[in-house]
Amino acid sequence: MNCTKSRLQSLRAPHVFGRLVTPNSSLKELSGSKTIDKFDPLTVIGKAPKPRQATLPHELATKIGEISWQWTPQELRQRVAAIYASLKEGTPHKATSDHLDVSANITGLFLQNYISLKTCLAEVHKRLTTSSDKKIKFQPKSVLDVGFGPGTGILVARELWPEIEYEKAVIYGDREMKKEAKRIIDNSEKVVFVDELPSDTSPQTFDLIICQHQLYTKGENPENKIAILSKKLGQLLNPGGVLLFAERGDPLGFESIASARRALLLSNINDSDSPVESSNEQTNHQSKKNNETPGDNETVNTSIPLNNSDSSTNSNVNTVFKSVAPCNHDKPCPLSVGLSQRLSAKNPGKFNWCTFDQNIKRPKYTLELKRGQYLSQKWVPGMQQGTGGSVIKGNGRTGSNNYEIANFSWVSMQKELQSSSQEASLSSKWPRIMKDPMNRHNHATMEVCTDGKIQHWTVPKSQGKQCYHDIRRAQAMDLWPFDAKTKQDRGGVPEKFRLQ
């Protein structure tokens, strides 16, 4: 495919973290280039809305920092260090057990959880709103956040879709987490906080469901537990809605994500057989919606179907799940070997896995939290060399940084009517760049996921000046709209180990 800048000049400008990018906008944080007009229009469409370094909003950082004032630095750091050690050993995320545990979880984990979700949802926002004909539109009116608190998904969804009308947060763990969530979330009186998912007989459905750190589990047959939760959340989703899973970016978190994706793709949900959306319940739900007001723990769903059709459209129809991002296909994952096999292996990372990362600037409260003997090493005089070989003396942290890297695995699935003839977006089948391209002399190489296969592509300088310019400034999670001169099938799991 030739790279010419004359094509698609009239395409709608993409969004970066909810901010419209115009042809004169700076892309410093996005690609390292000065202006967007140096990129081919197709490359701009394929770029992930992922800044070089993400930051936590100042207002949020201030609220999170105030939580640490309730405890002495030593006891808070000890509890946070214990949480980090547990996660490093491969233990699944756990619900909070007491007030100190709530504070430690928020101050220690919120930063990466928030930025990870923001990166994922920003990509979903772009893929479902950017098209040449502007027919593809995803505007959720209701959102369900499922996790250990403090309603992180609600905060991110509000930023990307301010028009959301109904919000519900399922928070597992100590009740103090709900109190902190109400303090952190603005206008929290509009959010319904509950302890568990809606029952199978509940008429509630949602346009957007966010589930973070709920899939990965140990024990017997973990895939079955993941499939049950995935299908349960799938039943709570409106046709046209999006279900997003996010987990840690290690092999076990990835396999949990792959298991959930597999379970949804293998099951075509029949809404007429589902207890969540039976015909009678849908009728009763529509008749009660205008007469009941939400209570403290229960409410009637006020979501509006995305297609603005009547209630009969959402019942007695067959629906299927399709991948939105980062997967660009609905075939079996070429990197999945099964969570049970990863758990039983001596080295879960023996085979490749799908993971992405985001550089995060540490706010003040994180810098203060990670300073001390429990969360960092002391600066040993004589160990650090300055310019010219001079020894740096003083007190502080060895090799300290004001940033950290969030690693995460994720998938987003859209529930569509089986009879839907909705046109696919322009970028829906483009290869996904898995790792940052490696720049070499007169060529660049990259690992991509395309049509259910992991391949290594080589783009030489001879392929075109524009293509060569764009590939050298691409990054992981971007979509690549052009071809490559050479392609090799390598990097995926061997066929005999792959889970179909």
Side-chain angles (χ1 to χ4, degrees):
M1 186 182 296
N2 295 327
C3 302
T4 59
K5 296 192 69 175
S6 60
R7 292 171 302 165
L8 302 173
Q9 294 288 352
S10 61
L11 286 173
R12 181 182 177 185
H15 287 71
V16 178
F17 279 89
R19 175 175 59 84
L20 187 64
V21 176
T22 62
N24 295 323
S25 298
S26 172
L27 275 188
K28 267 189 176 181
E29 75 266 8
L30 184 64
S31 63
S33 182
K34 290 183 178 180
T35 54
I36 199 173
D37 56 7
K38 289 186 177 181
F39 290 88
D40 189 279
L42 289 177
T43 305
V44 175
I45 292 176
K47 277 197 169 295
K50 178 184 171 186
R52 287 297 185 186
Q53 188 174 71
T55 57
L56 191 67
H58 178 72
E59 183 181 354
L60 261 181
T62 302
K63 291 180 178 180
I64 301 300
E66 291 173 355
I67 295 177
S68 62
W69 298 351
Q70 307 173 56
W71 314 96
T72 63
Q74 180 176 344
E75 59 184 352
L76 185 61
R77 286 172 182 155
Q78 283 180 321
R79 184 63 66 91
V80 173
I83 293 173
Y84 288 163
S86 176
L87 295 177
K88 189 175 182 179
E89 294 172 357
T91 305
H93 283 258
K94 298 182 296 185
T96 54
S97 57
D98 54 41
H99 193 185
L100 177 57
D101 207 24
V102 169
S103 300
N105 270 268
I106 296 177
T107 55
L109 303 177
F110 178 82
L111 176 64
Q112 292 201 15
N113 290 345
Y114 177 88
I115 296 299
S116 298
L117 279 185
K118 191 172 183 180
T119 305
C120 301
L121 282 173
E123 175 68 3
V124 172
H125 180 277
K126 181 173 182 177
R127 296 304 150 213
L128 295 181
T129 56
T130 302
S131 66
S132 56
D133 53 14
K134 300 182 181 180
K135 289 183 179 179
I136 301 174
K137 204 74 174 175
F138 177 62
Q139 297 291 345
K141 298 298 182 183
S142 56
V143 59
L144 172 67
D145 177 48
V146 184
F148 296 123
T152 312
I154 300 291
L155 291 166
V156 178
R158 280 185 176 184
E159 187 171 344
L160 294 172
W161 294 283
E163 65 279 358
I164 291 177
E165 299 174 359
Y166 177 73
E167 300 162 328
K168 188 170 189 176
V170 179
I171 298 179
Y172 302 111
D174 192 81
R175 62 181 181 180
E176 289 293 333
M177 182 63 82
K178 294 188 185 67
K179 294 181 181 179
E180 294 293 352
K182 292 177 181 179
R183 190 181 63 83
I184 294 171
I185 300 176
D186 292 333
N187 298 323
S188 59
E189 65 275 2
K190 297 181 179 180
V191 183
V192 179
F193 295 93
V194 294
D195 299 321
E196 56 185 17
L197 289 171
S199 64
D200 291 340
T201 58
S202 171
Q204 289 185 308
T205 53
F206 303 87
D207 297 334
L208 175 64
I209 299 179
I210 303 167
C211 182
Q212 189 174 34
H213 299 317
Q214 299 300 305
L215 296 178
Y216 171 48
T217 181
K218 291 185 176 181
E220 296 183 2
N221 199 3
E223 289 92 345
N224 186 49
K225 299 177 183 177
I226 293 174
I228 292 174
L229 176 60
S230 303
K231 293 176 182 178
K232 167 67 175 177
L233 294 176
Q235 290 176 338
L236 296 174
L237 197 64
N238 281 326
V242 171
L243 171 58
L244 184 140
F245 293 106
E247 282 288 340
R248 61 180 72 183
D250 60 14
L252 301 177
F254 157 71
E255 283 296 348
S256 303
I257 293 290
S259 297
R261 176 180 179 270
R262 186 184 309 111
L264 293 176
L265 290 177
L266 290 178
S267 63
N268 292 341
I269 300 177
N270 190 329
D271 285 346
S272 61
D273 296 335
S274 170
V276 176
E277 283 292 326
S278 66
S279 178
N280 293 335
E281 288 170 346
Q282 182 71 16
T283 303
N284 294 336
H285 164 51
Q286 293 295 333
S287 63
K288 293 179 180 179
K289 190 164 59 174
N290 296 327
N291 297 327
E292 295 189 10
T293 57
D296 292 335
N297 295 323
E298 293 186 2
T299 184
V300 176
N301 178 28
T302 59
S303 64
I304 302 174
L306 296 179
N307 52 11
N308 294 323
S309 59
D310 56 26
S311 60
S312 61
T313 305
N314 292 333
S315 59
N316 301 319
V317 291
N318 291 331
T319 56
V320 294
F321 280 93
K322 295 185 178 181
S323 302
V324 177
C327 308
N328 60 353
H329 61 87
D330 292 327
K331 297 181 180 180
C333 178
L335 297 175
S336 177
V337 297
L339 181 56
S340 297
Q341 185 167 340
R342 295 266 190 184
L343 286 169
S344 60
K346 291 184 179 179
N347 178 19
K350 176 182 179 180
F351 298 113
N352 194 7
W353 72 94
C354 178
T355 181
F356 300 97
D357 58 52
Q358 175 63 64
N359 186 299
I360 308 172
K361 182 179 180 180
R362 285 174 171 167
K364 182 180 178 181
Y365 80 87
T366 304
L367 289 172
E368 294 174 347
L369 175 71
K370 298 188 175 183
R371 181 173 56 202
Q373 59 180 333
Y374 294 103
L375 294 174
S376 61
Q377 296 178 350
K378 292 183 178 180
W379 189 340
V380 182
M383 297 299 294
Q384 289 291 313
Q385 298 294 322
T387 56
S390 60
V391 177
I392 302 175
K393 295 182 179 181
N395 297 320
R397 296 170 295 156
T398 303
S400 61
N401 296 308
N402 67 341
Y403 68 88
E404 57 188 78
I405 305 296
N407 294 282
F408 54 92
S409 294
W410 67 289
V411 72
S412 56
M413 310 291 291
Q414 187 170 31
K415 187 177 184 180
E416 295 182 354
L417 298 176
Q418 216 168 30
S419 57
S420 174
S421 59
Q422 181 174 324
E423 183 182 349
S425 64
L426 182 67
S427 60
S428 61
K429 298 300 179 182
W430 292 351
R432 176 79 62 178
I433 300 177
M434 305 297 293
K435 300 175 182 178
D436 289 340
M438 300 178 66
N439 296 325
R440 296 291 184 260
H441 180 63
N442 287 335
H443 72 279
T445 62
M446 59 181 172
E447 184 180 275
V448 300
C449 179
T450 173
D451 199 27
K453 296 182 291 183
I454 301 296
Q455 295 183 335
H456 277 240
W457 286 18
T458 301
V459 179
K461 191 174 183 179
S462 60
Q463 189 168 328
K465 183 178 180 180
Q466 186 67 61
C467 277
Y468 190 59
H469 169 275
D470 293 355
I471 188 60
R472 293 180 71 85
R473 289 157 181 80
Q475 58 181 343
M477 214 165 88
D478 287 351
L479 295 174
W480 182 244
F482 308 117
D483 210 345
K485 190 169 185 178
T486 60
K487 304 175 183 178
Q488 295 179 318
D489 290 337
R490 60 188 177 96
V493 173
E495 203 69 44
K496 61 179 179 179
F497 297 111
R498 191 177 303 175
L499 191 61
Q500 301 296 327

